[in-house]
Structure formats: C-alpha cells, structure tokens
Amino acid sequence: MMDRIINTMFHGSMKAKIFLWSIFMMGLAAVLFGVMAAVLGSFSFGTGAFVCGLAAFVTSQSASLTEMEQKSRKKQREKEKREGQMQEAFHSVSETEEEETGEDVWYSKEKEKAKIQYLSSMNAKKLKNLAKEHKIKQKHVFAMVDMYPEEKIRQAPAIVWRTDTHLHLLIMDQSAREFQIPFNDIRGIYYDKNVTADPDRDYAAFQYSGFMSKIYKPYLPEYKENTKDGQMIYVKNLFTIHPGISFTNTSMKGIFSILTRSPFLVDDAINTSGKFDEYFKEIYRYGILCKNNIYSLEEYRQKLESILEELLAAPVTREEFFRSLNAMKHYHLITQEYVVKYTQKYVMKNNG
C-alpha cells in the first residue's frame, strides 16, 4: 500500500498528486508544530498542530486513493472514447471522399478533417469568446448551413443575427468566419424540395457526442425516403437565401424570425400555374412551412383562416370565390368543415 501511495505521489494524475501531497504537507506541519509545542511549551504551536492534523484528517476522508484512481481512469477512458469517435469520423470522411463525384470539386478530405478537428475543440468558453469578438446581438439564432458554394462551405453550424441593414452569419467551418449580407440583396427565401442526401455520411462532425453536437443536433436536416430511377434514396428539404446559402429545414423557424420581411418563394408547378389564384398559393406556401415544422398546426390554422377571411372580403365573383374554395379542398389545403363554414359566411354576406 505504501509503495502504491509513493508511486502515485510522483507518477499519478495531477489531481491525485495534489491530494496526496496536501495530506503529506499538512501532516508534516502538524508533527513540526507538535514538536515545537512540546519543546517550548507553547499553546499556540499546540493549536497549530491540532488544526493541521485536523485538516489532514478531513482532507484524507474527502476521497480515497482508489476513488481518485477510478476517476482518473474514467477520464482517460472518456478521452480515448472521444479520440476513437474522432477516428471513426475521419475514417468516414476518407470513405466519403473516395466516393465523391466531380460535382463537389471544392470538397476535400483535408477540409472535412480540419472542420471536425476545429468543432471538436470548441467549448462553452470559446463559443462565448467568439460571441463577444463578433459582437453577436442578444437576439440571435442557431442554424445549420447545409451549403454555401461561393465560400466552399458545406454542412457547418452557424450563429445568425441582424443589424439595421445586414444579416450576419458566424459560420464555424475550419475556423469561425463572419459574413455580412445586405438586406437589399436578399430578395426572398427559396424552397428546395427533395434534395438528394445520405444520412450515413452527412454531417460527420455531429454523429458523435460533444459540446457542439449537443447544441446543433436539433438543426440537422430531417430525412425522408423517396425513389429515383426505381431506386430508394433519401432526400431532405432546404431553404436558400442570396447568395446561395442553403439552410436545413430545422433551422428555418429561427431564420424566418429574423428575415421577417423576406418573401417565401416556391418555384414549382403550383406556384407558376395560372390555374390557381394568390389566395390558394398563399395557403399552399404556409402548408409547406407547416410540414417543415416552421409553423405549428395552430399557427397554420390562424394563417389559413386569415387568408380565407381575405378571400371572403375580396372583390371577386361568386364563381371565382367557390372555384378557389373548392380547389383548396380538392388539394387538401382545407377540410370540408372550412368549405361549409365559408360557404355560409359568403351566403350571409351577399344575401344580408
């Protein structure tokens, strides 16, 4: 036992060394004070001996050497586990690069490794210092940038806030970089539906536990199964702003709360068709936002009823009113209950 204690005092963990040397020094002080008290007959030295002895006893009872060693071994195992997870992530990155096509010419294994290394080194203090350095506003949101081709950034976490004239993005890739986009350049928020994805390889830096993973996992994309050329694939929905910065759908509730004046634009067969009026298209767009959890069902219901009230008050013919109402029902934007409710309101309004 004594050999074990002496060995730990010189070769153990820093915490164990401090623990044992503290007890040793306090015990030695107690002995010295005791000797001085006996030789000089001093009450003060006797009190000092008692205090040092008591302190040594209390410290020795606060933790055992076995507990210290167990904690040290646990920390070492956790460190090895994190390093193992990092190696797995690096391995995944290596496999990803081998399978990449020429479409992502700016993607490289080295960049992805550097990003994983940088994000794994982040902690609460470093993130707080970044916020102070970049003067991040109190009102800010977390978001995940899926793609920013102009800056050769992909799948990186960001902090987003606004000032009077600019949208600010602090994107943490291989390092932290701030981008400032004039609001005048943001013409709208565009919807990119069913973008091909690979859940097993995407966002390698967030596949394992860590400080940044805990913060940003809620902003990883939601994947769905789809078919392409008879093959089952995974897809995700993205939202893009100028200059081509794409965010995951789970990031957009926060982004919309900042970009309150930017219109939501959908370039598909419904929105480009002359068959549907703007009331139909607006409810359709709100439905997309609801499906992507940007609006809750209650918020969607409120928006829907607000638009139906606008349609009821609009200077449209009876035929136009019911054509719009029936189209909404046919495409499952509203239920039969709403058709009945607003049919009755229309009749009362025009026959009153």
Side-chain angles (χ1 to χ4, degrees):
M1 180 65 180
M2 185 57 66
D3 290 342
R4 178 183 167 199
I5 292 174
I6 294 172
N7 183 64
T8 303
M9 289 176 71
F10 291 97
H11 305 291
S13 66
M14 182 58 67
K15 193 170 183 179
K17 287 180 181 178
I18 294 172
F19 173 72
L20 292 175
W21 277 105
S22 296
I23 295 173
F24 175 77
M25 295 303 293
M26 285 185 287
L28 181 61
V31 172
L32 290 175
F33 280 130
V35 171
M36 294 295 289
V39 172
L40 302 177
S42 171
F43 178 77
S44 298
F45 281 119
T47 302
F50 174 76
V51 170
C52 290
L54 181 62
F57 175 77
V58 170
T59 303
S60 67
Q61 296 303 306
S62 64
S64 68
L65 181 58
T66 300
E67 289 173 344
M68 299 286 290
E69 291 175 338
Q70 286 176 342
K71 289 180 181 178
S72 178
R73 286 196 294 268
K74 183 179 179 182
K75 286 186 177 180
Q76 182 62 27
R77 286 196 298 270
E78 289 176 351
K79 181 181 178 182
E80 291 173 354
K81 182 180 178 182
R82 287 195 298 268
E83 290 175 351
Q85 289 174 341
M86 289 292 295
Q87 289 300 320
E88 287 184 45
F90 287 167
H91 182 65
S92 173
V93 169
S94 300
E95 291 179 345
T96 300
E97 189 198 26
E98 290 172 3
E99 298 172 16
E100 285 293 330
T101 65
E103 296 177 1
D104 294 331
V105 293
W106 47 267
Y107 171 82
S108 74
K109 177 175 62 176
E110 287 72 23
K111 288 181 179 180
E112 198 69 7
K113 281 186 177 182
K115 177 175 69 177
I116 293 173
Q117 192 78 45
Y118 176 73
L119 294 178
S120 67
S121 71
M122 189 64 65
N123 55 39
K125 183 178 181 180
K126 289 181 179 179
L127 194 61
K128 185 177 180 179
N129 289 338
L130 278 177
K132 185 182 294 185
E133 178 186 344
H134 291 272
K135 299 179 181 177
I136 294 176
K137 296 291 185 180
Q138 187 171 6
K139 183 181 179 182
H140 61 267
V141 298
F142 295 114
M144 193 70 80
V145 174
D146 190 85
M147 199 75 70
Y148 190 176
E150 185 175 301
E151 295 293 334
K152 297 180 171 55
I153 294 172
R154 56 173 272 163
Q155 301 176 356
I159 300 175
V160 185
W161 71 100
R162 63 174 296 166
T163 52
D164 291 338
T165 57
H166 287 77
L167 178 72
H168 298 255
L169 294 94
L170 180 65
I171 302 178
M172 291 162 278
D173 189 39
Q174 300 167 66
S175 60
R177 290 187 284 168
E178 182 181 341
F179 300 93
Q180 300 182 24
I181 304 170
F183 283 125
N184 291 337
D185 289 349
I186 303 175
R187 304 298 182 184
I189 301 172
Y190 299 86
Y191 182 51
D192 302 315
K193 184 180 180 181
N194 294 340
V195 178
T196 303
D198 187 343
D200 293 329
R201 298 191 306 176
D202 282 0
Y203 294 94
F206 301 91
Q207 297 297 325
Y208 307 100
S209 61
F211 175 76
M212 294 296 279
S213 295
K214 289 177 182 177
I215 296 176
Y216 282 96
K217 269 197 172 181
Y219 306 99
L220 295 179
E222 295 174 332
Y223 299 100
K224 297 182 296 183
E225 293 182 358
N226 207 336
T227 55
K228 182 179 181 180
D229 300 327
Q231 299 290 324
M232 196 277 286
I233 61 170
Y234 285 96
V235 296
K236 58 190 174 186
N237 297 332
L238 303 177
F239 293 77
T240 303
I241 65 170
H242 178 85
I245 305 174
S246 295
F247 296 94
T248 59
N249 65 317
T250 49
S251 301
M252 290 310 297
K253 189 176 185 70
I255 299 297
F256 271 103
S257 72
I258 291 178
L259 295 178
T260 54
R261 297 183 181 179
S262 298
F264 175 47
L265 306 173
V266 182
D267 185 15
D268 63 7
I270 294 290
N271 279 270
T272 56
S273 173
K275 179 181 176 181
F276 307 104
D277 61 26
E278 190 52 39
Y279 302 101
F280 178 98
K281 293 176 181 178
E282 193 168 2
I283 291 178
Y284 171 74
R285 289 192 290 268
Y286 280 124
I288 290 174
L289 297 177
C290 183
K291 289 176 182 177
N292 284 278
N293 298 315
I294 295 160
Y295 285 127
S296 66
L297 286 172
E298 178 58 25
E299 289 171 327
Y300 172 66
R301 184 188 65 77
Q302 292 173 2
K303 296 288 186 182
L304 183 150
E305 291 185 354
S306 175
I307 296 167
L308 289 175
E309 290 294 335
E310 290 179 15
L311 174 61
L312 184 65
V316 296
T317 65
R318 179 186 180 90
E319 181 184 357
E320 290 171 334
F321 177 85
F322 284 106
R323 182 168 60 240
S324 182
L325 203 64
N326 289 326
M328 293 175 191
K329 169 64 172 61
H330 178 75
Y331 285 91
H332 307 291
L333 300 184
I334 62 175
T335 62
Q336 181 62 30
E337 285 76 14
Y338 278 110
V339 175
V340 172
K341 178 180 178 179
Y342 281 89
T343 295
Q344 292 174 343
K345 283 193 170 190
Y346 184 87
V347 171
M348 290 177 62
K349 173 178 176 285
N350 290 278
N351 294 338

